[in-house]
């Protein structure tokens, strides 16, 4: 399972190809764990005392700092601060096509494997809960809806929204926005299967269509920035 995932992910590694774009930088860690022969993805719930997006599900991550060498450094530093994951305990595999968040940060997803023995110690100032979801849920969900929203450039687009009923925590988690976007793409890359819902990619040319989508999104934001000057 792990070897197959590694091989697929390396084919989609974008490295630092988008790192020089003139947007403020952020990165998230997409921590994969193998349990019982299946891949699971670790997610966190943002503390209710945070100003931005309190209570929302997200990946460990945050804004780049001057001391970070690159996006991998940022993702690992943030994961250590938020859930106590030591950087040397992460087998970093790749960086995937970035996204752009509501604050116009360039957000790079860094994918890495962590041990199934990892016990999270959430920093209560930042994280209220940590949970895992089978990666396959992001192509074959039990509860899913597409939310329509208006992008900053004014066009209508769809946003994935998953509800995951967690047996361990005896509660449901809502996973949507950029977090869901990254989780779906990760599942498409690793499994290479068609999802049970519509996606904005040409699934026969996943790499090029993901990059084209991103370039179009970036262009629309850049044009808007220029027109605001």
């Amino acid at each position: 399972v792990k070897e197959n995932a590694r091989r697929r992910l390396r084919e989609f590694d974008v490295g630092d190809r988008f790192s020089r774009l003139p947007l403020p930088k952020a990165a998230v860690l997409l921590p994969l764990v193998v349990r019982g022969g299946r891949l699971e993805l670790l997610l966190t719930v943002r503390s209710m005392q945070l100003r931005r997006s309190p209570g929302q599900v997200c990946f460990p991550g945050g804004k780049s700092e001057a001391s970070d060498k690159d996006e991998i450094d940022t993702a690992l530093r943030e994961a250590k601060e938020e859930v106590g994951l030591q950087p040397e305990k992460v087998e970093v595999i790749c960086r995937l096509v970035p996204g752009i968040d509501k604050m116009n940060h360039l957000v790079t997803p860094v994918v890495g494997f962590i041990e199934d023995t990892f016990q999270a110690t959430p920093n209560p100032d930042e994280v209220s809960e940590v949970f895992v979801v089978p990666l396959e849920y992001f192509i074959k969900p039990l509860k899913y809806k597409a939310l329509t929203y208006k992008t900053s450039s004014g066009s209508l687009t769809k946003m994935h929204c998953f509800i995951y009923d967690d047996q361990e925590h005896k509660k449901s988690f809502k996973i949507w926005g950029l977090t869901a976007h990254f989780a779906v793409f990760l599942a498409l890359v690793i499994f290479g299967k068609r999802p049970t819902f519509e996606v904005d990619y040409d699934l026969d040319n996943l790499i090029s269509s993901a990059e084209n989508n991103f370039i179009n999104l970036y262009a629309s934001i850049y044009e808007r920035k220029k027109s605001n000057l």
Side-chain angles (χ1 to χ4, degrees):
V1 171
K2 214 177 205 177
E3 197 40 61
N4 184 46
R6 269 196 206 101
R7 186 173 46 76
R8 293 274 303 172
L9 286 163
R10 287 194 178 117
E11 290 171 19
F12 283 77
D13 188 6
V14 299
D16 60 1
R17 204 152 73 241
F18 299 101
S19 303
R20 291 169 198 78
L21 292 176
L23 290 175
K25 307 285 186 289
V28 291
L29 183 67
L30 278 52
L32 284 168
V33 58
V34 181
R35 284 208 184 103
R38 73 173 182 178
L39 287 167
E40 296 184 337
L41 193 53
L42 182 137
L43 292 145
T44 68
V45 179
R46 287 172 65 82
S47 163
M48 289 308 287
Q49 52 203 1
L50 289 170
R51 269 207 329 267
R52 204 162 63 82
S53 309
Q56 282 192 13
V57 170
C58 63
F59 291 110
K63 287 189 278 203
S64 296
E65 292 182 359
S67 56
D68 297 336
K69 285 202 308 286
D70 56 19
E71 299 93 345
I72 294 171
D73 252 22
T74 303
L76 294 178
R77 175 181 53 72
E78 288 281 348
K80 183 182 178 185
E81 289 170 15
E82 290 179 16
V83 297
L85 178 59
Q86 298 299 322
E88 66 273 11
K89 297 284 188 188
V90 183
E91 181 200 348
V92 174
I93 306 296
C94 69
R95 284 172 272 190
L96 296 176
V97 175
I100 297 173
D101 69 8
K102 295 193 290 274
M103 315 293 288
N104 283 351
H105 286 91
L106 180 77
V107 185
T108 299
V110 175
V111 186
F113 280 104
I114 61 173
E115 292 299 323
D116 60 354
T117 51
F118 170 67
Q119 295 287 323
T121 49
N123 172 352
D125 294 336
E126 298 193 49
V127 171
S128 62
E129 288 182 270
V130 178
F131 65 105
V132 294
V133 179
L135 184 62
E136 201 170 30
Y137 197 81
F138 295 106
I139 52 170
K140 285 187 359 195
L142 295 174
K143 295 182 183 174
Y144 170 87
K145 61 184 175 197
L147 306 174
T148 303
Y149 78 105
K150 195 176 257 187
T151 65
S152 43
S153 62
S155 60
L156 286 177
T157 186
K158 284 196 164 45
M159 183 189 284
H160 304 299
C161 179
F162 300 86
I163 305 293
Y164 179 67
D165 297 326
D166 188 305
Q167 301 307 316
E168 193 184 332
H169 291 80
K170 301 282 185 282
K171 66 189 292 187
S172 296
F173 294 103
K174 178 183 176 185
I175 306 158
W176 61 296
L178 199 54
T179 302
H181 169 80
F182 287 150
V184 167
F185 188 65
L186 180 65
L188 290 173
V189 166
I190 288 178
F191 296 121
K193 292 179 189 166
R194 290 191 174 273
T196 57
F197 51 89
E198 279 185 37
V199 288
D200 291 338
Y201 303 112
D202 171 359
L203 294 174
D204 297 320
N205 299 287
L206 189 54
I207 295 182
S208 55
S209 85
E211 291 186 358
N212 287 339
N213 287 359
F214 171 74
I215 289 161
N216 291 338
L217 173 66
Y218 173 72
S220 72
I221 284 170
Y222 204 70
E223 282 306 311
R224 201 176 69 255
K225 280 181 129 177
K226 281 201 300 200
S227 66
N228 288 343
L229 292 176

